[in-house]
Amino acid sequence: MSCVFGFDVGSRLIGVAVGNRFTGSARGLAAIAVRDGEPDWSRLDALRKEWLPDTLVIGLPLTLDGEEQPASKRARRFAETVRQRYDLPIALTDERYSSQEAAQRFASARAAGLKKKSDAATIDAEAAAVILERWLASAPAGH
């Protein structure tokens, strides 16, 4: 298999991206709502069933010094939950600056007329794509 999912875990939204090991590319899929600390599992289940990823990559929020922070706990908790729910390998990866890069990509796409202001919710999915592309670029072959 070559399909991989990437996640940008937030307190209100979880960005989801799909990536391809062969091309090393990723694209945003969806921003999943989080209510009372729980993601919309039916939506996540549907995406998993549609794409059949073989690995799940979760962005781990770290401080600029590389230390864990309160948001790191949320990401680790989500990682453990999806590992148990889907019985798939999990990779946690440093997500520092991914949101800024996603915002810059969005701004560039808007300037080029490719995105509208109303597409701003896709920034979470784009951040997941950034996280996943970085992981794909650094993952050893066959990983």
Side-chain angles (χ1 to χ4, degrees), residues 92-107:
L92 288 164
T93 189
D94 182 351
E95 70 161 45
R96 281 179 286 183
Y97 306 111
S98 60
S99 296
Q100 293 93 319
E101 186 174 331
Q104 288 170 346
R105 288 183 183 189
F106 180 77

Side-chain angles (χ1 to χ4, degrees), residues 64-76:
L64 297 181
D65 296 334
E67 301 295 318
E68 295 217 4
Q69 57 177 320
S72 306
K73 250 188 209 150
R74 182 183 321 116
R76 287 187 179 281

Side-chain angles (χ1 to χ4, degrees), residues 48-128:
R48 181 185 158 267
K49 189 174 179 181
E50 178 182 351
W51 289 93
L52 300 173
D54 60 17
T55 301
L56 307 176
V57 178
I58 291 100
L60 183 63
L62 300 172
T63 66
L64 297 181
D65 296 334
E67 301 295 318
E68 295 217 4
Q69 57 177 320
S72 306
K73 250 188 209 150
R74 182 183 321 116
R76 287 187 179 281
R77 197 167 41 246
F78 176 78
E80 183 57 26
T81 302
V82 293
R83 187 189 65 73
Q84 290 176 3
R85 187 177 187 98
Y86 300 135
D87 193 28
L88 290 171
I90 298 293
L92 288 164
T93 189
D94 182 351
E95 70 161 45
R96 281 179 286 183
Y97 306 111
S98 60
S99 296
Q100 293 93 319
E101 186 174 331
Q104 288 170 346
R105 288 183 183 189
F106 180 77
S108 297
R110 265 196 80 196
L114 301 173
K115 298 256 186 205
K116 302 183 294 284
K117 192 174 185 180
S118 59
D119 294 326
T122 63
I123 288 178
D124 292 289
E126 188 65 34

